[in-house]
Amino acid sequence: MRAIRTLALPLAMASALVLSVVVGGAADAASASKSPITIAYLGILTGPNASPTAENPLKLAADEINARGGADGHPVKLEFYDANITPQQAVTATQKALATNPTAIIGPLVDDQVQATAQLLKQSGVPTLGLTSGPLTDYTNIHLNNFFDINPIDYNTAQAEAKYVYTKYKPKTVGLIYTQDAASTASANFIEEFLKKDGVKNFIVRSEADGVTDATTAVLAMKPADAVFVNSFPVTDGLLITELAQNGITAPIMGAQGDNAVQAFKLAPASAMANMYYPPYCDPDVNTTTQAKAFTSAYKAAYPSTSQTAVDDPATYDGVYLIAKAIQAADGNTSHSAIVTQLEKLQYQGACGPYKNDSEHVMINQAQIVKLGSNGPSGKELMATYNFGSIPASAH
């Protein structure tokens, strides 16, 4: 179940459309003797859903790679383009990025944007690591040989959400509130489908327009629910969680993939999150793998003022490494076709988990459930990890 909902967060950033950064100091650059490779990031850099730290994971990865002599001797250069959340904004950003002939692209973050830019990406052949999660970006639907998803897909996270809530709470009535973007709609539909298979018969379903500022009517409808699922961007989910608490609804809440942002940026009162869970795209703060611990340690050292490392999608950190590993596997060949060929067969253990391409060009097939709780980011707790094989054909 792949739709979107980004990990982008709600603080304003500078409005520059593109920012070019060569990471690593002079000594690092000297050790990387070959021509630079350029990775273009298409993200949400401005507006209410932007994050002030979105660039950090990418810069950290590039700094580390350059300090070690680059990707097979090629120093890594980053360029940042504001694709925001609409299809047209993504088209404009993609056109600007492709005009520079980048080595690879990381992003965009919204399913509808991938569909809007699919022809541009196909014609360019540029290897692209998308940060999307819904059916619109499956290989079956877009037939893009050079496009790969590096986030857990919604079909899998929906299974994890439904399984966890049903196993722990055995709800008889479930509430679903989602916004009308393709991703949130797909997520809600998948969750309902899986819960029905578990035996839940009663559902209260409400949808709201993107950017809704008052969802009181939908929230009040949730009063009979034994559990409530919310699916939207973090700003909207923060609103829903706040209004659920304000109206005395204390049922457990399952949020969307980016909802650690609700906690990190205080988009809802801490008390409203006491019994709240979410299925992260990636949350190395609560993972115990060697790679996750190394990432969180390096991130906190590089950005000590941040409250937690997983506010932005750390898959971007892994994405930079995936591109570098593909170039190394190709013996330094930086052509688009060589990188795509290597990404198709690459296996890599990153901060977010194991990466291995499948038939739908999804590179990670793991979903987790994290409890946010009312004690802030330090009180987060990993509750469950679910590993999945390739997506079954019936999911598309």
Side-chain angles (χ1 to χ4, degrees), residues 153 155-156 159 356-360 362 365 388-393 395-396:
I153 60 170
Y155 187 78
N156 285 348
Q159 291 183 72
K356 181 182 178 181
N357 186 49
D358 71 8
S359 62
E360 289 295 336
V362 177
N365 281 282
F388 303 90
S390 298
I391 317 166
H396 306 289

mmCIF file of all heavy atoms in Angstrom, residues 153 155-156 159 356-360 362 365 388-393 395-396:
data_model
loop_
_atom_site.group_PDB
_atom_site.id
_atom_site.type_symbol
_atom_site.label_atom_id
_atom_site.label_comp_id
_atom_site.label_asym_id
_atom_site.label_seq_id
_atom_site.Cartn_x
_atom_site.Cartn_y
_atom_site.Cartn_z
ATOM 1 N N ILE A 153 6.529 0.396 1.933
ATOM 2 C CA ILE A 153 5.311 0.663 1.181
ATOM 3 C C ILE A 153 4.081 0.616 2.084
ATOM 4 O O ILE A 153 4.050 -0.093 3.084
ATOM 5 C CB ILE A 153 5.151 -0.321 0.014
ATOM 6 C CG1 ILE A 153 5.091 -1.755 0.539
ATOM 7 C CG2 ILE A 153 6.281 -0.146 -0.983
ATOM 8 C CD1 ILE A 153 4.704 -2.756 -0.501
ATOM 9 N N TYR A 155 1.244 -0.710 1.654
ATOM 10 C CA TYR A 155 0.595 -2.017 1.760
ATOM 11 C C TYR A 155 1.174 -2.793 2.941
ATOM 12 O O TYR A 155 0.455 -3.475 3.677
ATOM 13 C CB TYR A 155 0.788 -2.796 0.458
ATOM 14 C CG TYR A 155 0.011 -4.085 0.406
ATOM 15 C CD1 TYR A 155 -1.361 -4.075 0.139
ATOM 16 C CD2 TYR A 155 0.628 -5.318 0.614
ATOM 17 C CE1 TYR A 155 -2.085 -5.264 0.093
ATOM 18 C CE2 TYR A 155 -0.078 -6.497 0.562
ATOM 19 C CZ TYR A 155 -1.444 -6.470 0.299
ATOM 20 O OH TYR A 155 -2.155 -7.642 0.259
ATOM 21 N N ASN A 156 2.476 -2.683 3.130
ATOM 22 C CA ASN A 156 3.119 -3.370 4.247
ATOM 23 C C ASN A 156 2.883 -2.669 5.578
ATOM 24 O O ASN A 156 2.634 -3.313 6.604
ATOM 25 C CB ASN A 156 4.618 -3.502 3.986
ATOM 26 C CG ASN A 156 4.924 -4.569 2.952
ATOM 27 O OD1 ASN A 156 4.067 -5.361 2.579
ATOM 28 N ND2 ASN A 156 6.161 -4.592 2.478
ATOM 29 N N GLN A 159 -0.521 -3.450 6.852
ATOM 30 C CA GLN A 159 -0.599 -4.768 7.490
ATOM 31 C C GLN A 159 -0.068 -4.704 8.913
ATOM 32 O O GLN A 159 -0.655 -5.283 9.839
ATOM 33 C CB GLN A 159 0.226 -5.780 6.693
ATOM 34 C CG GLN A 159 -0.346 -6.135 5.337
ATOM 35 C CD GLN A 159 0.510 -7.193 4.657
ATOM 36 O OE1 GLN A 159 0.506 -8.356 5.051
ATOM 37 N NE2 GLN A 159 1.249 -6.788 3.655
ATOM 38 N N LYS A 356 16.984 -4.461 -0.568
ATOM 39 C CA LYS A 356 17.134 -5.410 -1.659
ATOM 40 C C LYS A 356 15.970 -5.203 -2.615
ATOM 41 O O LYS A 356 14.800 -5.295 -2.225
ATOM 42 C CB LYS A 356 17.137 -6.849 -1.139
ATOM 43 C CG LYS A 356 17.319 -7.895 -2.235
ATOM 44 C CD LYS A 356 17.270 -9.304 -1.664
ATOM 45 C CE LYS A 356 17.408 -10.338 -2.774
ATOM 46 N NZ LYS A 356 17.329 -11.731 -2.245
ATOM 47 N N ASN A 357 16.252 -4.927 -3.854
ATOM 48 C CA ASN A 357 15.222 -4.604 -4.821
ATOM 49 C C ASN A 357 14.287 -5.787 -5.073
ATOM 50 O O ASN A 357 14.719 -6.947 -5.080
ATOM 51 C CB ASN A 357 15.892 -4.184 -6.132
ATOM 52 C CG ASN A 357 14.897 -3.676 -7.156
ATOM 53 O OD1 ASN A 357 14.057 -2.843 -6.838
ATOM 54 N ND2 ASN A 357 14.987 -4.171 -8.375
ATOM 55 N N ASP A 358 12.991 -5.489 -5.268
ATOM 56 C CA ASP A 358 12.052 -6.539 -5.626
ATOM 57 C C ASP A 358 11.423 -6.226 -6.985
ATOM 58 O O ASP A 358 11.810 -5.285 -7.676
ATOM 59 C CB ASP A 358 11.000 -6.746 -4.534
ATOM 60 C CG ASP A 358 9.993 -5.610 -4.411
ATOM 61 O OD1 ASP A 358 9.983 -4.697 -5.265
ATOM 62 O OD2 ASP A 358 9.203 -5.627 -3.454
ATOM 63 N N SER A 359 10.454 -7.025 -7.378
ATOM 64 C CA SER A 359 9.870 -6.908 -8.713
ATOM 65 C C SER A 359 9.147 -5.589 -8.936
ATOM 66 O O SER A 359 8.921 -5.186 -10.078
ATOM 67 C CB SER A 359 8.898 -8.070 -8.963
ATOM 68 O OG SER A 359 7.829 -8.042 -8.029
ATOM 69 N N GLU A 360 8.759 -4.916 -7.854
ATOM 70 C CA GLU A 360 8.085 -3.629 -7.976
ATOM 71 C C GLU A 360 9.044 -2.452 -7.756
ATOM 72 O O GLU A 360 8.627 -1.318 -7.602
ATOM 73 C CB GLU A 360 6.927 -3.546 -6.976
ATOM 74 C CG GLU A 360 5.759 -4.442 -7.322
ATOM 75 C CD GLU A 360 5.066 -4.058 -8.619
ATOM 76 O OE1 GLU A 360 5.165 -2.883 -9.026
ATOM 77 O OE2 GLU A 360 4.434 -4.941 -9.226
ATOM 78 N N VAL A 362 10.786 -1.884 -5.176
ATOM 79 C CA VAL A 362 10.772 -1.475 -3.772
ATOM 80 C C VAL A 362 12.021 -2.073 -3.134
ATOM 81 O O VAL A 362 12.274 -3.274 -3.261
ATOM 82 C CB VAL A 362 9.520 -1.991 -3.038
ATOM 83 C CG1 VAL A 362 9.575 -1.615 -1.562
ATOM 84 C CG2 VAL A 362 8.270 -1.412 -3.684
ATOM 85 N N ASN A 365 11.575 -3.897 2.587
ATOM 86 C CA ASN A 365 10.323 -4.594 2.880
ATOM 87 C C ASN A 365 10.232 -4.917 4.361
ATOM 88 O O ASN A 365 10.160 -6.071 4.776
ATOM 89 C CB ASN A 365 10.221 -5.865 2.034
ATOM 90 C CG ASN A 365 9.801 -5.542 0.616
ATOM 91 O OD1 ASN A 365 8.631 -5.297 0.341
ATOM 92 N ND2 ASN A 365 10.766 -5.525 -0.281
ATOM 93 N N PHE A 388 8.567 -8.418 5.471
ATOM 94 C CA PHE A 388 7.707 -8.887 4.392
ATOM 95 C C PHE A 388 8.549 -9.274 3.187
ATOM 96 O O PHE A 388 9.624 -8.732 2.962
ATOM 97 C CB PHE A 388 6.727 -7.783 3.963
ATOM 98 C CG PHE A 388 5.869 -7.270 5.078
ATOM 99 C CD1 PHE A 388 6.288 -6.198 5.870
ATOM 100 C CD2 PHE A 388 4.646 -7.842 5.343
ATOM 101 C CE1 PHE A 388 5.514 -5.725 6.896
ATOM 102 C CE2 PHE A 388 3.843 -7.361 6.384
ATOM 103 C CZ PHE A 388 4.279 -6.310 7.154
ATOM 104 N N GLY A 389 8.008 -10.179 2.369
ATOM 105 C CA GLY A 389 8.630 -10.494 1.090
ATOM 106 C C GLY A 389 8.187 -9.483 0.053
ATOM 107 O O GLY A 389 7.653 -8.423 0.375
ATOM 108 N N SER A 390 8.382 -9.822 -1.194
ATOM 109 C CA SER A 390 7.925 -8.941 -2.273
ATOM 110 C C SER A 390 6.420 -8.750 -2.183
ATOM 111 O O SER A 390 5.690 -9.625 -1.715
ATOM 112 C CB SER A 390 8.312 -9.528 -3.626
ATOM 113 O OG SER A 390 9.708 -9.622 -3.753
ATOM 114 N N ILE A 391 5.954 -7.639 -2.700
ATOM 115 C CA ILE A 391 4.527 -7.333 -2.644
ATOM 116 C C ILE A 391 3.759 -8.352 -3.485
ATOM 117 O O ILE A 391 4.106 -8.593 -4.630
ATOM 118 C CB ILE A 391 4.242 -5.943 -3.232
ATOM 119 C CG1 ILE A 391 5.280 -4.946 -2.743
ATOM 120 C CG2 ILE A 391 2.843 -5.487 -2.922
ATOM 121 C CD1 ILE A 391 5.270 -3.680 -3.516
ATOM 122 N N PRO A 392 2.711 -8.952 -2.955
ATOM 123 C CA PRO A 392 1.915 -9.861 -3.789
ATOM 124 C C PRO A 392 1.204 -9.108 -4.905
ATOM 125 O O PRO A 392 0.863 -7.941 -4.759
ATOM 126 C CB PRO A 392 0.904 -10.449 -2.788
ATOM 127 C CG PRO A 392 0.838 -9.449 -1.689
ATOM 128 C CD PRO A 392 2.208 -8.836 -1.589
ATOM 129 N N ALA A 393 0.996 -9.776 -5.999
ATOM 130 C CA ALA A 393 0.365 -9.124 -7.154
ATOM 131 C C ALA A 393 -1.001 -8.550 -6.804
ATOM 132 O O ALA A 393 -1.429 -7.545 -7.353
ATOM 133 C CB ALA A 393 0.243 -10.102 -8.311
ATOM 134 N N ALA A 395 -1.826 -6.879 -4.417
ATOM 135 C CA ALA A 395 -1.736 -5.573 -3.745
ATOM 136 C C ALA A 395 -1.814 -4.429 -4.726
ATOM 137 O O ALA A 395 -1.941 -3.290 -4.341
ATOM 138 C CB ALA A 395 -0.425 -5.471 -2.965
ATOM 139 N N HIS A 396 -1.712 -4.726 -6.010
ATOM 140 C CA HIS A 396 -1.659 -3.634 -6.970
ATOM 141 C C HIS A 396 -3.013 -3.443 -7.616
ATOM 142 O O HIS A 396 -3.197 -3.626 -8.773
ATOM 143 C CB HIS A 396 -0.578 -3.899 -8.002
ATOM 144 C CG HIS A 396 0.733 -4.172 -7.330
ATOM 145 N ND1 HIS A 396 1.465 -3.205 -6.694
ATOM 146 C CD2 HIS A 396 1.407 -5.328 -7.129
ATOM 147 C CE1 HIS A 396 2.542 -3.727 -6.151
ATOM 148 N NE2 HIS A 396 2.529 -5.008 -6.380
#
